[in-house]
Amino acid sequence: MPRSGQAAAPAKPERTFFGLSTGRAVVLGVVICALALTLAVPMRTYLSQRAEADRLASEQQDLEQELLELERQQEQIDDPAWIAAQARERLGLVRPGETPYKVQLPGDYKPPEEEAPPPPPSTGAWHSDLWQRLAGPLPTTEPERGTLPEAPVVPAPVPEEPGVPTG
């Protein structure tokens, strides 16, 4: 009750959100989130099953095409004329009384392939074998430890004699 002499305090305006009070807006938001979460799992399952069904349908079509192709090949293999043609073409067979001819066109000649030389004998260590393949055979004699290789011998120059022409 307002006291005497004081004016009545204006009432605090209530906050609204989309025309609803704040409490009601929160409750509405919670209900919408719950509905969205409730529908999300079945929707995801539905979409994944649809994708799987589409994949299986295309796989079934591919398998049916392959089956038709295999049935056509089976019919071809059962045909005696096809078998005779393949025997002539692949194996070079002829019927009795026929004279076989083999025509060689100029561009069809291939020289016989030369066999590769046998690999050198293994020395036992993999790095030695690798080096032998890359750089040629290893030297058969190894210098003893602690000795230096011999230097090449160069003959000393012959002193010139005075008065003798050099040639």
Side-chain angles (χ1 to χ4, degrees):
M1 292 208 180
R3 292 187 191 170
S4 62
Q6 289 184 352
K12 223 179 187 184
E14 195 175 304
R15 290 189 170 183
T16 60
F17 187 74
F18 290 118
L20 297 173
S21 67
T22 306
R24 287 184 180 177
V26 168
V27 169
L28 180 63
V30 169
V31 168
I32 289 174
C33 287
L35 282 174
L37 292 175
T38 304
L39 294 176
V41 173
M43 184 61 79
R44 185 186 65 181
T45 305
Y46 170 76
L47 293 175
S48 66
Q49 287 177 350
R50 280 291 286 187
E52 180 72 12
D54 291 342
R55 185 187 65 80
L56 289 174
S58 74
E59 185 177 335
Q60 182 179 2
Q61 284 180 345
D62 293 343
L63 290 174
E64 287 174 356
Q65 289 293 333
E66 185 178 350
L67 179 64
L68 290 174
E69 178 66 26
L70 290 173
E71 286 174 349
R72 188 189 63 75
Q73 284 181 0
Q74 180 65 38
E75 290 173 4
Q76 191 178 33
I77 289 172
D78 290 341
D79 183 18
W82 184 82
I83 293 173
Q86 291 299 310
R88 287 172 175 266
E89 182 181 328
R90 291 183 183 181
L91 303 175
L93 299 179
V94 294
R95 292 192 173 158
E98 293 181 345
T99 305
Y101 292 100
K102 186 156 185 141
V103 177
Q104 186 172 1
L105 298 175
D108 289 347
Y109 176 72
K110 294 179 185 173
E113 296 180 14
E114 297 179 14
E115 292 186 20
S122 175
T123 59
W126 68 268
H127 51 83
S128 297
D129 291 342
L130 178 64
W131 183 256
Q132 191 172 12
R133 282 190 212 120
L134 294 177
L138 294 174
T140 56
T141 59
E142 295 181 14
E144 294 182 21
R145 280 196 163 173
T147 61
L148 296 175
E150 294 181 19
V153 178
V154 180
V158 179
E160 293 182 19
E161 292 181 31
V164 177
T166 57

